[in-house]
Amino acid sequence: MSYLHSMTCFTEGIKVLAPVKWRSLDGMVGVFWDAEGQAGARGYYLSPDPRIVIFFNDVSPFIRMTNHEGGMTGYSRPMTRAVYVPAGVPLWTGFTATHRFSHLDLHLHRDRLLRFLSPSVGASAALAALRRPVEIQDTAAIETLAGLLVGEVSAPTKHAVFAESLVAGIVAGLLDIPDHGAEQPNGRLTQAQMNRLMSRLGSCNGNRLSVADMAQTVGLSESWFANVFKQTTGKTPLQWQLGKRIDLAQKLLVESELTIADIAAQLGFSDQAHLTKAFRQVVGGTPAAWRRMQRIV
């Protein structure tokens, strides 16, 4: 049965460069765009259904995104090559420079996704996967499938089942579906979950994440996450995160001429004194003394 999606959408400073191509399938719609955004262009998107966006060129230096209204200054992160946005999650985007881009939008009916995933992973795991956002830069085989799908969206040559199978492959390759056979024993986080945390922290440019944010990233409740994180790393989530932020501060102290106050501001510390206190707690000395020592060495 064909399906028509609905989405609240507002854009400013983005122009379409070629006719939009789209195709309605069983519980899904594929839409291919070729467009250009001007410096300062922006967009807002909210859909009652899950959706996937796959870019065919690297947009991370030019487009930033956030799920917080007014969050382009404090909560934004670079747009990745492929994004899964769960149903009802708002997305704001902003262009830092003029850039031409092309992307495939997949609008997916929730029940269609559950019907596809549940027989293989179970209804509970399928529901959990649909609630978890995904943002990846290395699209690998997903981009190949997306390219084939663009052909079937733009100028169909085969039965709709072929296009639907391509969508199924993209969903299976992109969504965060747990591989129970790869889970680590004794209530520990998997390496894939730790990788997602590292990626999320990196996308925040060193700014602090709450424990709730970290738990959501790996698809666990906050209380359960805090417990298994300590078993996995030997540290609380905030202790681990502070260590990573101090690592980034050390990198900036060595590789840049930024003042300590500027580094504190860039990494989300309240002021230089706050960074200095945290730095001393982790490293054992002040940022200024540590920077002098590195330059002597």
Side-chain angles (χ1 to χ4, degrees):
M1 181 175 64
S2 62
Y3 151 75
L4 294 176
H5 69 285
S6 63
M7 184 169 71
T8 301
C9 174
F10 165 81
T11 63
E12 182 179 290
I14 301 173
K15 63 179 179 180
V16 177
L17 301 179
V20 176
K21 306 292 186 180
W22 69 280
R23 185 178 181 185
S24 180
L25 301 162
D26 177 19
M28 57 191 76
V29 173
V31 187
F32 178 65
W33 300 83
D34 186 11
E36 182 178 78
Q38 303 298 313
R42 56 198 178 101
Y44 167 72
Y45 312 88
L46 177 63
S47 174
D49 293 315
R51 66 190 189 97
I52 290 171
V53 183
I54 301 172
F55 288 90
F56 293 97
N57 55 335
D58 184 13
V59 297
S60 59
F62 309 99
I63 307 177
R64 296 191 68 81
M65 60 179 170
T66 181
N67 304 110
H68 300 266
E69 185 172 8
M72 276 301 168
T73 53
Y75 294 95
S76 70
R77 55 201 184 275
M79 177 68 77
T80 56
R81 294 285 296 273
V83 178
Y84 168 71
V85 185
V89 174
L91 181 68
W92 286 265
T93 62
F95 281 71
T96 59
T98 298
H99 186 60
R100 179 172 179 170
F101 61 95
S102 61
H103 68 75
L104 175 68
D105 282 355
L106 296 176
H107 301 268
L108 308 159
H109 195 285
R110 172 183 173 275
D111 292 346
R112 179 67 169 87
L113 284 179
L114 289 175
R115 198 163 70 244
F116 165 61
L117 294 173
S118 295
S120 298
V121 305
S124 178
L127 279 169
L130 295 193
R131 297 189 189 107
R132 286 195 289 268
V134 177
E135 299 166 10
I136 63 171
Q137 184 65 11
D138 182 7
T139 52
I142 293 173
E143 186 175 343
T144 300
L145 295 175
L148 292 171
L149 183 56
V150 166
E152 288 302 305
V153 166
S154 303
T157 60
K158 301 181 184 299
H159 190 280
V161 71
F162 176 61
E164 290 162 7
S165 68
L166 292 172
V167 176
I170 291 169
V171 168
L174 180 60
L175 264 63
D176 183 12
I177 304 169
D179 179 0
H180 296 294
E183 289 183 359
Q184 297 179 24
N186 304 321
R188 295 175 181 269
L189 294 174
T190 65
Q191 186 59 51
Q193 289 172 317
M194 290 301 298
N195 290 343
R196 288 199 297 275
L197 282 174
M198 289 294 295
S199 177
R200 178 73 189 280
L201 187 61
S203 70
C204 292
N205 297 320
N207 284 283
R208 183 179 179 274
L209 290 170
S210 68
V211 176
D213 289 334
M214 297 172 73
Q216 183 182 39
T217 299
V218 297
L220 297 174
S221 69
E222 188 172 340
S223 58
W224 179 246
F225 169 76
N227 179 49
V228 296
F229 191 92
K230 183 71 178 289
Q231 292 186 53
T232 304
T233 66
K235 300 177 181 179
T236 69
L238 295 183
Q239 287 172 338
W240 174 84
Q241 183 179 183
L242 179 61
K244 298 300 180 185
R245 294 172 74 201
I246 296 302
D247 287 345
L248 187 51
Q250 289 178 304
K251 179 179 175 67
L252 291 173
L253 286 167
V254 170
E255 297 180 1
S256 78
E257 296 301 322
L258 291 172
T259 67
I260 295 171
D262 288 339
I263 293 173
Q266 182 168 320
L267 299 184
F269 291 91
S270 57
D271 54 27
Q272 181 174 334
H274 183 200
L275 171 59
T276 298
K277 180 180 179 180
F279 197 96
R280 183 184 285 114
Q281 177 184 335
V282 174
V283 180
T286 67
W290 188 86
R291 174 180 259 176
R292 286 196 298 271
M293 184 180 301
Q294 297 305 308
R295 290 181 174 177
I296 290 172
V297 173

